[in-house]
Amino acid sequence: MTKEGKEEVILIRVQKLRKEKWKKICSKRKISLTSLIIDSVENRILEDERKKILAFIEKQDNIFIKIETNINQIARIVNGQKFISQTELSNFQNQLKTIVDLKEKQNEIFLKIYSLIANDR
């Protein structure tokens, strides 16, 4: 049973070639034919696309974790030496600003993605 109640069976007639084409699409995307039809009819994001989006978000998060780790390593080196040249400091500040800008853009994209996913279900 689903949240909305008992599931029903719907029989539809399609040409054999069309059915085979749909099955190939499903096989390629690793989704069920039922999912393909329901998500398409209800104008939802397909399950394989949802998984790609979540994988993208996770990858982006990992990239920023690596960047943050590098920033911490630079800070440790500077703290140990108690010195950083004006040129290095300026370069470092420019890189930090770039990261902040990218993170803001990423967060805007994520908000749009999350709203699509939330409105989708």
Side-chain angles (χ1 to χ4, degrees), residues 49-108:
E49 292 169 340
R50 182 183 313 281
K51 289 176 185 176
K52 287 178 187 175
I53 290 169
L54 294 175
F56 168 77
I57 292 170
E58 186 176 324
K59 182 179 178 184
Q60 289 296 105
D61 193 40
N62 290 338
I63 289 170
F64 279 104
I65 288 171
K66 289 178 183 177
I67 291 169
E68 291 165 1
T69 300
N70 289 342
I71 291 169
N72 288 335
Q73 289 173 344
I74 292 169
R76 267 190 236 115
I77 291 168
V78 170
N79 285 335
Q81 294 176 354
K82 302 293 182 198
F83 174 78
I84 186 170
S85 72
Q86 188 61 37
T87 305
E88 290 173 331
L89 180 60
S90 179
N91 186 30
F92 184 69
Q93 287 174 329
N94 288 337
Q95 290 176 353
L96 286 177
K97 183 173 179 353
T98 301
I99 291 168
V100 168
D101 293 344
L102 289 172
K103 192 73 167 180
E104 286 175 4
K105 288 178 186 176
Q106 174 194 10
N107 288 342
E108 289 173 15

Side-chain angles (χ1 to χ4, degrees), residues 3-69:
K3 293 178 187 176
E4 293 131 12
K6 188 175 178 181
E7 291 185 356
E8 298 279 332
V9 174
I10 298 174
L11 300 174
I12 60 172
R13 294 179 194 262
V14 294
Q15 296 168 340
K16 186 174 183 171
L17 289 175
R18 179 172 284 161
K19 180 182 175 185
E20 293 306 315
K21 182 179 174 184
W22 290 357
K23 287 173 90 176
K24 284 181 184 176
I25 292 169
C26 293
S27 176
K28 188 185 291 185
R29 292 180 170 208
K30 296 181 177 140
I31 59 175
S32 69
L33 184 55
T34 300
S35 176
L36 175 71
I37 294 169
I38 291 173
D39 291 346
S40 297
V41 168
E42 293 182 358
N43 200 22
R44 293 175 163 177
I45 296 174
L46 297 176
E47 191 60 35
D48 66 315
E49 292 169 340
R50 182 183 313 281
K51 289 176 185 176
K52 287 178 187 175
I53 290 169
L54 294 175
F56 168 77
I57 292 170
E58 186 176 324
K59 182 179 178 184
Q60 289 296 105
D61 193 40
N62 290 338
I63 289 170
F64 279 104
I65 288 171
K66 289 178 183 177
I67 291 169
E68 291 165 1
T69 300

